[in-house]
Amino acid sequence: MKLILTHEVTGLGAPGDVITVKDGYGRNYLLPRGYAITWSKGAEKQVETIRKARKSREVRDLGHAQELKAELEKLNVRLATRAGESGRLFGSVTVADIADAVTRSGGPAVDKRKIEIPTPIKTVGSHRVSVRLHPEVSATVGVNIVAA
């Protein structure tokens, strides 16, 4: 299935990229979530418009992304959640929980879709998460999970 991405999808590409994926992935995941549109000759003409808009945003946002990275990396995020006596959490910490905790800690508003957790956080302690601010800029944020 040939698609045109409208949002950045990790591992596939950026907005405006023409990709070929398996039918099920495109039909069941990318299209319903609005991450892509089906390719056609008319839609192909829109690709250039999408790419121009992306280029202007990237150039404008690169300096701002560097500023946000510096701000996020010096931030100390503390998140209180329910945990057992052994330090194991009841459930796990989600990206939405981390985005809220960053905002409450005095940091900038972070889109939860830009937060990447390498492994699910299921224990109390200090953890590192990555925030994709720009295709070239990624910040690492320290999150301290404490029992509530």
Side-chain angles (χ1 to χ4, degrees), residues 72-86:
L72 282 172
E73 288 184 343
K74 67 180 178 183
L75 196 63
N76 187 13
V77 179
R78 185 172 182 264
L79 181 62
T81 185
R82 291 182 49 209
E85 291 181 17
S86 64

Side-chain angles (χ1 to χ4, degrees), residues 82-108:
R82 291 182 49 209
E85 291 181 17
S86 64
R88 190 139 170 89
L89 301 182
F90 298 131
S92 63
V93 176
T94 64
V95 290
D97 296 336
I98 294 171
D100 291 339
V102 167
T103 305
R104 282 194 310 260
S105 298

Side-chain angles (χ1 to χ4, degrees), residues 40 54 67 98 112 141:
S40 66
R54 183 179 81 197
E67 293 171 12
I98 294 171
K112 68 180 183 180
V141 180

Side-chain angles (χ1 to χ4, degrees), residues 25-130:
Y25 183 58
R27 199 173 38 245
N28 297 325
Y29 182 75
L30 296 174
L31 291 174
R33 287 176 171 77
Y35 294 156
I37 57 174
T38 54
W39 180 89
S40 66
K41 288 189 180 195
E44 181 73 35
K45 294 175 184 174
Q46 292 178 345
V47 169
E48 197 58 39
T49 307
I50 293 171
R51 285 185 182 152
K52 283 181 184 176
R54 183 179 81 197
K55 285 282 186 197
S56 67
R57 277 195 313 268
E58 283 180 1
V59 170
R60 187 178 66 227
D61 289 345
L62 182 58
H64 188 251
Q66 294 288 356
E67 293 171 12
L68 288 177
K69 177 183 177 181
E71 189 176 336
L72 282 172
E73 288 184 343
K74 67 180 178 183
L75 196 63
N76 187 13
V77 179
R78 185 172 182 264
L79 181 62
T81 185
R82 291 182 49 209
E85 291 181 17
S86 64
R88 190 139 170 89
L89 301 182
F90 298 131
S92 63
V93 176
T94 64
V95 290
D97 296 336
I98 294 171
D100 291 339
V102 167
T103 305
R104 282 194 310 260
S105 298
V110 177
D111 186 7
K112 68 180 183 180
R113 293 175 295 216
K114 301 288 185 180
I115 298 174
E116 298 172 345
I117 303 174
T119 58
I121 299 174
K122 296 185 178 221
T123 58
V124 172
S126 182
H127 300 275
R128 309 293 286 168
V129 296
S130 177

